[in-house]
Amino acid sequence: MKIFVPLDSAAKALGADEVAAAIQIEAGNRGLDVTVVRNGSRGMIWLEPLVEIETDGTRKAFGAVTAEDVPSLLDGTLESLGTVEDIPFFARQTRLTFARCGLIDPLSLAEYEAHGGLVGLKRALALGEEEIVAEVTNSGLRGRGGAGFPTGIKWDTVRKAVSARKYIVCNADEGDSGTFADRMLMEGDPFTLIEGMIIAGLATGATKGFVYIRSEYPDAIAVMEAAVRIGLKAGLLGTNVLGSGKAFDLEIRTGAGAYVCGEETSLLNSLEGKRGIVRAKPPLPALEGLFGKPTVVNNVLSLATVPVIMEKGAEFYAGFGLGRSKGTMPIQIAGNVRYGGLFETAFGMPLGELINDIAGGTASGRPVKAVQVGGPLGAYMPVSKFNTPFGYEEFDGQGGLIGHAGIVVFDDRADMLKMARFAMEFCAVESCGKCTPCRIGAVRGVETIDRIDAGDAGAVHLLTDLCDTMKDGSLCALGGFTPYPVMSALTHFPKDFARQKEAAE
């Protein structure tokens, strides 16, 4: 009997370690032959710890298991959810990037390969650089970290650059509120990311890679470091990748807690041992990146999606999605919702369907007031925008952005003036200080919103002007995108700002 208990950080926070220990003890006391496998999360956080029991090749799921439930779990009297695949939240997904997450032992290379792993890499090893880049380009894959830049174009720029040394850098500094997909994948299927980075190296001529992980992810760091050691021992990494004669080495690096290091040039400075501040562009990192050499900087999800593209082909992947938003997106649902977790689906699902149907509305049972999509720099979308399809251009047309696809839901008790203030305060605290519009603008933004809160209606025009300056003048997206949550709150929820004046009077 195999019993799967997630090692995912969210599951552990809800007692997964205690459940795993209780299973070992109870099985030992009963003399049962039980193997406990610490898998990744299936992404349904409200059901964690989600325990699965495999007998005769069939896995049955049990939700929100506690250590006290273990005796009845082993007795067979605990109520089962059936198979994970039959749970409605999971059944409606299209899992490509996260196909193996929660299904396998994250650190078993044999299981990874048995479930389709390394097929894409083996195909890439038989292709030339241009052919690999063409496949990624034709798939329509775009950056999943926030900007949505076409991955193939970035890779081709690095490929064409002339240099004795090139680098692949994975941005795993997942600092946006309401996001956890990078962490979940690194903890649950690390070899997918490693395989994607090797393919990126083959496509561009890079032989060295770095994964930059935020310090707040100790479990992801530990799993990735273990996966790299296993990969080296198995010949997946090193001087002779799968016996091909081609080299690719990989190192795991830990960030120091700066949100701005999610911006690629700040991240590169940090990797070099410098202060994490933004670099002016040009030069682009693709031409002068890490240590001044041509560098691909991609998000975890971008790189982890490459193996399935190489395995199944560009046409297959591009067959999903909407318009220029091709493929699937692992959407992270958080905040005041009944069903929070990771939901991977093709681009195009309306925002309202995601919130009301998939997420089940608010956990409080109150009406939804606003949804912030894209992290702390994302716009607040009102219910009137719920028919907006989940796609890059579609959200941009509504004054929003997808970013890393984190969704945070607020009910009708949310004070949007305070949320706008939080956005400015967040920017002020996290600013690297390199440019004036961000460094000074965010501080002045907090002061201006406080004036509006105190009843100074004339400060609204000043806030609007300040947001224009930050948007147009900031060096990076931290200062440049902070106006999105501020102005969307002001535009869509004007009563929350006017009410403050009335209260003051």
Side-chain angles (χ1 to χ4, degrees):
M1 182 191 295
K2 274 187 180 180
I3 301 181
F4 296 82
V5 184
L7 53 68
D8 181 87
S9 295
K12 289 172 72 172
L14 293 166
D17 285 347
E18 291 79 2
V19 170
I23 290 171
Q24 295 278 23
I25 293 169
E26 186 69 17
N29 292 339
R30 298 185 183 201
L32 297 176
D33 183 14
V34 168
T35 301
V36 176
V37 178
R38 303 305 302 271
N39 59 327
S41 174
R42 294 289 197 127
M44 294 170 284
I45 306 302
W46 78 96
L47 292 176
E48 294 291 5
L50 180 68
V51 175
E52 294 178 76
I53 296 181
E54 181 181 297
T55 51
D56 301 324
T58 301
R59 286 164 69 158
K60 286 187 177 180
F62 302 84
V65 177
T66 66
E68 291 72 28
D69 293 327
V70 169
S72 55
L73 177 73
L74 295 180
D75 287 339
T77 58
L78 191 66
E79 185 178 356
S80 172
L81 299 169
T83 67
V84 167
E85 289 74 18
D86 289 333
I87 298 172
F89 184 92
F90 195 91
R92 292 188 61 178
Q93 298 187 47
T94 303
R95 288 219 161 187
L96 300 181
T97 306
F98 278 78
R100 284 175 291 265
C101 195
L103 193 62
I104 64 171
D105 178 344
L107 293 175
S108 171
L109 193 54
E111 284 192 33
Y112 177 71
E113 196 164 359
H115 287 81
L118 303 185
V119 173
L121 174 57
K122 290 173 182 176
R123 181 181 172 221
L125 285 166
L127 300 176
E129 293 180 0
E130 287 187 55
E131 292 173 297
I132 300 172
V133 170
E135 196 77 7
V136 173
T137 302
N138 293 337
S139 75
L141 179 66
R142 294 166 69 171
R144 299 294 191 242
F149 189 80
T151 304
I153 293 177
K154 184 181 287 188
W155 285 21
D156 203 38
T157 304
V158 176
R159 181 187 70 82
K160 291 175 179 176
V162 179
S163 178
R165 172 68 94 173
K166 299 177 183 179
Y167 297 101
I168 306 296
V169 173
C170 173
N171 183 348
D173 192 61
E174 186 178 46
D176 284 353
S177 51
T179 61
F180 45 85
D182 292 354
R183 175 193 59 74
M184 194 173 282
L185 187 130
M186 288 187 289
E187 292 175 359
D189 192 12
F191 291 116
T192 294
L193 175 57
I194 291 172
E195 182 179 354
M197 292 185 71
I198 298 170
I199 294 171
L202 294 173
T204 59
T207 56
K208 180 76 174 181
F210 294 91
V211 183
Y212 184 95
I213 308 176
R214 66 194 303 242
S215 59
E216 296 89 339
Y217 282 175
D219 292 333
I221 292 167
V223 173
M224 285 301 302
E225 288 178 339
V228 168
R229 290 193 296 270
I230 292 167
L232 282 167
K233 189 175 180 180
L236 176 62
L237 293 165
T239 57
N240 188 20
V241 173
L242 296 183
S244 66
K246 297 179 180 180
F248 192 81
D249 286 315
L250 189 60
E251 291 185 28
I252 308 301
R253 295 291 178 87
T254 304
Y259 177 78
V260 77
C261 284
E263 192 279 331
E264 61 180 4
T265 62
S266 298
L267 185 155
L268 294 176
N269 274 336
S270 180
L271 263 180
E272 292 177 6
K274 301 172 183 174
R275 182 182 171 201
I277 59 174
V278 176
R279 299 177 185 176
K281 300 176 189 177
L284 296 171
L287 299 176
E288 293 183 33
L290 187 63
F291 304 117
K293 303 299 182 182
T295 304
V296 168
V297 184
N298 275 145
N299 167 260
V300 171
L301 302 183
S302 307
L303 291 161
T305 301
V306 170
V308 72
I309 291 171
M310 295 306 299
E311 174 194 354
K312 298 183 181 294
E315 187 176 350
F316 170 84
Y317 190 77
F320 298 92
L322 172 72
R324 291 177 54 206
S325 301
K326 303 291 188 183
T328 62
M329 188 66 169
I331 300 168
Q332 300 121 90
I333 303 170
N336 189 343
V337 290
R338 288 182 66 194
Y339 306 127
L342 183 134
F343 187 86
E344 183 177 357
T345 187
F347 284 101
M349 182 176 286
L351 180 60
E353 186 176 344
L354 277 166
I355 303 306
N356 296 321
D357 191 2
I358 303 301
T362 63
S364 63
R366 299 179 68 92
V368 175
K369 181 173 184 176
V371 178
Q372 188 174 33
V373 182
L377 308 180
Y380 290 103
M381 304 288 276
V383 175
S384 61
K385 301 278 188 182
F386 271 20
N387 62 346
T388 306
F390 208 86
Y392 290 104
E393 281 68 39
E394 290 73 20
F395 262 65
D396 183 62
Q398 296 297 325
L401 54 94
I402 283 179
H404 191 46
I407 292 179
V408 181
V409 178
F410 301 85
D411 71 14
D412 60 352
R413 295 171 294 184
D415 185 334
M416 301 312 294
L417 180 142
K418 286 183 169 55
M419 300 311 299
R421 187 188 190 280
F422 171 78
M424 281 293 188
E425 185 180 28
F426 180 85
C427 183
V429 170
E430 296 293 345
S431 176
C432 76
K434 180 72 176 283
C435 69
T436 304
C438 177
R439 183 183 71 249
I440 304 298
V443 176
R444 296 292 172 259
V446 172
E447 295 170 355
T448 305
I449 293 174
D450 283 345
R451 284 173 54 185
I452 298 170
D453 194 12
D456 184 356
V460 171
H461 176 74
L462 180 61
L463 180 63
T464 303
D465 188 56
L466 178 62
C467 283
D468 287 341
T469 300
M470 291 178 69
K471 190 174 181 180
D472 296 337
S474 297
L475 270 177
C476 83
L478 178 53
F481 282 9
T482 294
Y484 276 90
V486 176
M487 291 307 301
S488 60
L490 179 61
T491 301
H492 300 307
F493 307 98
K495 289 183 180 179
D496 283 22
F497 291 77
R499 188 184 71 242
Q500 302 299 325
K501 179 187 176 186
E502 290 163 6
E505 291 173 346

